mmCIF file of all heavy atoms in Angstrom:
data_model
loop_
_atom_site.group_PDB
_atom_site.id
_atom_site.type_symbol
_atom_site.label_atom_id
_atom_site.label_comp_id
_atom_site.label_asym_id
_atom_site.label_seq_id
_atom_site.Cartn_x
_atom_site.Cartn_y
_atom_site.Cartn_z
ATOM 1 N N ASP H 153 133.801 -60.426 43.960
ATOM 2 C CA ASP H 153 132.911 -61.585 43.651
ATOM 3 C C ASP H 153 131.897 -61.178 42.530
ATOM 4 O O ASP H 153 130.964 -60.416 42.858
ATOM 5 C CB ASP H 153 132.208 -62.143 44.861
ATOM 6 C CG ASP H 153 131.277 -63.282 44.552
ATOM 7 O OD1 ASP H 153 131.085 -63.583 43.385
ATOM 8 O OD2 ASP H 153 130.671 -63.817 45.535
ATOM 9 N N PHE H 154 132.162 -61.586 41.345
ATOM 10 C CA PHE H 154 131.355 -61.042 40.256
ATOM 11 C C PHE H 154 129.830 -61.309 40.374
ATOM 12 O O PHE H 154 129.019 -60.607 39.816
ATOM 13 C CB PHE H 154 131.879 -61.525 38.909
ATOM 14 C CG PHE H 154 131.258 -60.901 37.705
ATOM 15 C CD1 PHE H 154 131.249 -59.519 37.607
ATOM 16 C CD2 PHE H 154 130.606 -61.585 36.722
ATOM 17 C CE1 PHE H 154 130.680 -58.891 36.533
ATOM 18 C CE2 PHE H 154 130.062 -60.990 35.634
ATOM 19 C CZ PHE H 154 129.992 -59.601 35.512
ATOM 20 N N ALA H 155 129.484 -62.426 41.106
ATOM 21 C CA ALA H 155 128.089 -62.723 41.266
ATOM 22 C C ALA H 155 127.375 -61.522 42.003
ATOM 23 O O ALA H 155 126.242 -61.211 41.618
ATOM 24 C CB ALA H 155 127.859 -63.984 42.019
ATOM 25 N N GLN H 156 128.044 -60.961 42.941
ATOM 26 C CA GLN H 156 127.511 -59.788 43.685
ATOM 27 C C GLN H 156 127.412 -58.566 42.717
ATOM 28 O O GLN H 156 126.440 -57.846 42.807
ATOM 29 C CB GLN H 156 128.375 -59.508 44.871
ATOM 30 C CG GLN H 156 128.372 -60.670 45.917
ATOM 31 C CD GLN H 156 129.259 -60.352 47.064
ATOM 32 O OE1 GLN H 156 129.840 -59.264 47.235
ATOM 33 N NE2 GLN H 156 129.388 -61.348 47.981
ATOM 34 N N ILE H 157 128.433 -58.355 41.961
ATOM 35 C CA ILE H 157 128.412 -57.208 41.041
ATOM 36 C C ILE H 157 127.297 -57.428 40.020
ATOM 37 O O ILE H 157 126.522 -56.442 39.714
ATOM 38 C CB ILE H 157 129.779 -57.138 40.301
ATOM 39 C CG1 ILE H 157 130.901 -56.866 41.328
ATOM 40 C CG2 ILE H 157 129.750 -56.113 39.209
ATOM 41 C CD1 ILE H 157 130.895 -55.532 41.958
ATOM 42 N N ALA H 158 127.206 -58.627 39.433
ATOM 43 C CA ALA H 158 126.187 -58.797 38.372
ATOM 44 C C ALA H 158 124.769 -58.670 38.907
ATOM 45 O O ALA H 158 123.910 -58.183 38.251
ATOM 46 C CB ALA H 158 126.398 -60.189 37.753
ATOM 47 N N ALA H 159 124.567 -59.169 40.108
ATOM 48 C CA ALA H 159 123.205 -58.997 40.676
ATOM 49 C C ALA H 159 122.799 -57.481 40.933
ATOM 50 O O ALA H 159 121.690 -57.175 40.662
ATOM 51 C CB ALA H 159 123.211 -59.721 42.048
ATOM 52 N N ARG H 160 123.767 -56.787 41.414
ATOM 53 C CA ARG H 160 123.505 -55.318 41.524
ATOM 54 C C ARG H 160 123.330 -54.571 40.199
ATOM 55 O O ARG H 160 122.473 -53.698 40.078
ATOM 56 C CB ARG H 160 124.635 -54.610 42.334
ATOM 57 C CG ARG H 160 124.637 -54.922 43.817
ATOM 58 C CD ARG H 160 125.788 -54.299 44.596
ATOM 59 N NE ARG H 160 125.767 -54.628 45.996
ATOM 60 C CZ ARG H 160 125.433 -53.753 46.908
ATOM 61 N NH1 ARG H 160 124.982 -52.524 46.564
ATOM 62 N NH2 ARG H 160 125.426 -54.090 48.217
ATOM 63 N N GLN H 161 124.064 -55.054 39.159
ATOM 64 C CA GLN H 161 123.853 -54.439 37.828
ATOM 65 C C GLN H 161 122.463 -54.727 37.373
ATOM 66 O O GLN H 161 121.800 -53.788 36.908
ATOM 67 C CB GLN H 161 124.861 -55.117 36.810
ATOM 68 C CG GLN H 161 126.271 -54.624 36.996
ATOM 69 C CD GLN H 161 127.266 -55.353 36.073
ATOM 70 O OE1 GLN H 161 126.857 -56.433 35.552
ATOM 71 N NE2 GLN H 161 128.440 -54.799 35.876
ATOM 72 N N GLU H 162 121.990 -55.984 37.507
ATOM 73 C CA GLU H 162 120.688 -56.315 37.010
ATOM 74 C C GLU H 162 119.629 -55.597 37.790
ATOM 75 O O GLU H 162 118.561 -55.232 37.248
ATOM 76 C CB GLU H 162 120.489 -57.843 37.214
ATOM 77 C CG GLU H 162 119.217 -58.390 36.469
ATOM 78 C CD GLU H 162 119.126 -59.891 36.444
ATOM 79 O OE1 GLU H 162 120.091 -60.496 36.903
ATOM 80 O OE2 GLU H 162 118.123 -60.417 35.972
ATOM 81 N N ALA H 163 119.803 -55.382 39.084
ATOM 82 C CA ALA H 163 118.851 -54.598 39.808
ATOM 83 C C ALA H 163 118.919 -53.078 39.667
ATOM 84 O O ALA H 163 118.160 -52.342 40.287
ATOM 85 C CB ALA H 163 119.133 -54.897 41.355
ATOM 86 N N GLY H 164 119.952 -52.687 38.897
ATOM 87 C CA GLY H 164 119.997 -51.217 38.665
ATOM 88 C C GLY H 164 120.638 -50.419 39.851
ATOM 89 O O GLY H 164 120.496 -49.181 39.904
ATOM 90 N N ASP H 165 121.346 -51.127 40.698
ATOM 91 C CA ASP H 165 121.850 -50.485 41.943
ATOM 92 C C ASP H 165 123.314 -49.938 41.622
ATOM 93 O O ASP H 165 124.319 -50.290 42.165
ATOM 94 C CB ASP H 165 121.958 -51.510 43.078
ATOM 95 C CG ASP H 165 122.486 -50.841 44.346
ATOM 96 O OD1 ASP H 165 122.440 -49.551 44.415
ATOM 97 O OD2 ASP H 165 122.897 -51.649 45.287
ATOM 98 N N TRP H 166 123.322 -48.974 40.751
ATOM 99 C CA TRP H 166 124.596 -48.381 40.356
ATOM 100 C C TRP H 166 125.188 -47.483 41.422
ATOM 101 O O TRP H 166 126.413 -47.421 41.599
ATOM 102 C CB TRP H 166 124.476 -47.626 39.033
ATOM 103 C CG TRP H 166 123.968 -48.544 37.922
ATOM 104 C CD1 TRP H 166 122.760 -48.591 37.413
ATOM 105 C CD2 TRP H 166 124.824 -49.462 37.196
ATOM 106 N NE1 TRP H 166 122.692 -49.547 36.421
ATOM 107 C CE2 TRP H 166 123.928 -50.042 36.305
ATOM 108 C CE3 TRP H 166 126.140 -49.800 37.288
ATOM 109 C CZ2 TRP H 166 124.406 -51.047 35.399
ATOM 110 C CZ3 TRP H 166 126.591 -50.803 36.405
ATOM 111 C CH2 TRP H 166 125.701 -51.411 35.422
ATOM 112 N N ASP H 167 124.349 -46.928 42.273
ATOM 113 C CA ASP H 167 124.822 -46.080 43.421
ATOM 114 C C ASP H 167 125.600 -47.032 44.325
ATOM 115 O O ASP H 167 126.701 -46.656 44.825
ATOM 116 C CB ASP H 167 123.683 -45.357 44.064
ATOM 117 C CG ASP H 167 123.232 -44.248 43.277
ATOM 118 O OD1 ASP H 167 123.834 -43.741 42.399
ATOM 119 O OD2 ASP H 167 122.077 -43.744 43.571
ATOM 120 N N GLY H 168 125.032 -48.171 44.675
ATOM 121 C CA GLY H 168 125.672 -49.122 45.546
ATOM 122 C C GLY H 168 126.983 -49.649 44.977
ATOM 123 O O GLY H 168 127.972 -49.803 45.684
ATOM 124 N N LEU H 169 126.966 -49.895 43.639
ATOM 125 C CA LEU H 169 128.169 -50.365 43.026
ATOM 126 C C LEU H 169 129.273 -49.277 43.048
ATOM 127 O O LEU H 169 130.471 -49.594 43.217
ATOM 128 C CB LEU H 169 127.878 -50.747 41.613
ATOM 129 C CG LEU H 169 127.101 -52.104 41.411
ATOM 130 C CD1 LEU H 169 126.557 -52.193 39.948
ATOM 131 C CD2 LEU H 169 128.024 -53.275 41.685
ATOM 132 N N GLY H 170 128.890 -48.025 42.852
ATOM 133 C CA GLY H 170 129.845 -46.917 42.896
ATOM 134 C C GLY H 170 130.500 -46.944 44.263
ATOM 135 O O GLY H 170 131.687 -46.694 44.413
ATOM 136 N N GLU H 171 129.697 -47.067 45.356
ATOM 137 C CA GLU H 171 130.170 -47.030 46.708
ATOM 138 C C GLU H 171 131.194 -48.277 46.914
ATOM 139 O O GLU H 171 132.284 -48.095 47.503
ATOM 140 C CB GLU H 171 129.074 -47.146 47.646
ATOM 141 C CG GLU H 171 128.233 -45.865 47.720
ATOM 142 C CD GLU H 171 127.023 -46.073 48.667
ATOM 143 O OE1 GLU H 171 126.919 -47.074 49.284
ATOM 144 O OE2 GLU H 171 126.195 -45.121 48.681
ATOM 145 N N MET H 172 130.867 -49.431 46.414
ATOM 146 C CA MET H 172 131.742 -50.594 46.494
ATOM 147 C C MET H 172 133.097 -50.370 45.856
ATOM 148 O O MET H 172 134.120 -50.585 46.492
ATOM 149 C CB MET H 172 131.044 -51.858 45.974
ATOM 150 C CG MET H 172 129.858 -52.439 46.727
ATOM 151 S SD MET H 172 129.113 -53.803 45.837
ATOM 152 C CE MET H 172 130.404 -54.943 45.758
ATOM 153 N N LEU H 173 133.092 -49.915 44.666
ATOM 154 C CA LEU H 173 134.307 -49.707 43.904
ATOM 155 C C LEU H 173 135.137 -48.520 44.493
ATOM 156 O O LEU H 173 136.333 -48.643 44.570
ATOM 157 C CB LEU H 173 133.993 -49.475 42.470
ATOM 158 C CG LEU H 173 134.089 -50.703 41.583
ATOM 159 C CD1 LEU H 173 132.979 -51.673 41.924
ATOM 160 C CD2 LEU H 173 134.086 -50.420 40.108
ATOM 161 N N ALA H 174 134.441 -47.476 44.968
ATOM 162 C CA ALA H 174 135.150 -46.359 45.547
ATOM 163 C C ALA H 174 135.867 -46.733 46.796
ATOM 164 O O ALA H 174 137.051 -46.395 47.098
ATOM 165 C CB ALA H 174 134.192 -45.218 45.845
ATOM 166 N N GLU H 175 135.144 -47.585 47.689
ATOM 167 C CA GLU H 175 135.781 -48.007 48.885
ATOM 168 C C GLU H 175 137.010 -48.976 48.570
ATOM 169 O O GLU H 175 138.121 -48.807 49.215
ATOM 170 C CB GLU H 175 134.783 -48.793 49.760
ATOM 171 C CG GLU H 175 133.798 -47.909 50.274
ATOM 172 C CD GLU H 175 132.632 -48.696 51.007
ATOM 173 O OE1 GLU H 175 132.729 -49.936 51.046
ATOM 174 O OE2 GLU H 175 131.684 -48.041 51.503
ATOM 175 N N ALA H 176 136.914 -49.807 47.541
ATOM 176 C CA ALA H 176 138.006 -50.630 47.219
ATOM 177 C C ALA H 176 139.117 -49.854 46.677
ATOM 178 O O ALA H 176 140.398 -50.071 46.964
ATOM 179 C CB ALA H 176 137.561 -51.713 46.218
ATOM 180 N N ALA H 177 138.903 -48.791 45.854
ATOM 181 C CA ALA H 177 139.908 -47.939 45.322
ATOM 182 C C ALA H 177 140.701 -47.244 46.400
ATOM 183 O O ALA H 177 141.877 -47.095 46.355
ATOM 184 C CB ALA H 177 139.291 -46.970 44.335
ATOM 185 N N GLN H 178 139.960 -46.815 47.414
ATOM 186 C CA GLN H 178 140.582 -46.168 48.558
ATOM 187 C C GLN H 178 141.547 -47.068 49.261
ATOM 188 O O GLN H 178 142.628 -46.609 49.633
ATOM 189 C CB GLN H 178 139.545 -45.591 49.554
ATOM 190 C CG GLN H 178 138.752 -44.393 48.987
ATOM 191 C CD GLN H 178 137.671 -43.968 49.950
ATOM 192 O OE1 GLN H 178 137.095 -44.794 50.654
ATOM 193 N NE2 GLN H 178 137.308 -42.698 49.942
ATOM 194 N N ARG H 179 141.165 -48.351 49.433
ATOM 195 C CA ARG H 179 142.014 -49.300 50.027
ATOM 196 C C ARG H 179 143.325 -49.555 49.205
ATOM 197 O O ARG H 179 144.403 -49.633 49.721
ATOM 198 C CB ARG H 179 141.230 -50.593 50.326
ATOM 199 C CG ARG H 179 140.240 -50.476 51.398
ATOM 200 C CD ARG H 179 139.778 -51.822 51.909
ATOM 201 N NE ARG H 179 139.076 -52.538 50.890
ATOM 202 C CZ ARG H 179 137.732 -52.473 50.720
ATOM 203 N NH1 ARG H 179 137.057 -51.687 51.472
ATOM 204 N NH2 ARG H 179 137.116 -53.201 49.826
ATOM 205 N N LEU H 180 143.103 -49.651 47.909
ATOM 206 C CA LEU H 180 144.320 -49.832 47.034
ATOM 207 C C LEU H 180 145.210 -48.597 47.060
ATOM 208 O O LEU H 180 146.437 -48.761 47.097
ATOM 209 C CB LEU H 180 143.799 -50.045 45.595
ATOM 210 C CG LEU H 180 143.130 -51.475 45.282
ATOM 211 C CD1 LEU H 180 142.673 -51.476 43.840
ATOM 212 C CD2 LEU H 180 144.098 -52.603 45.583
#
Side-chain angles (χ1 to χ4, degrees):
D153 176 356
F154 188 55
Q156 297 177 6
I157 299 292
R160 286 177 179 258
Q161 288 176 342
E162 190 171 358
D165 184 16
W166 298 103
D167 288 342
L169 286 166
E171 292 173 3
M172 287 175 63
L173 267 67
E175 290 172 1
Q178 288 175 331
R179 290 195 292 273
L180 290 177

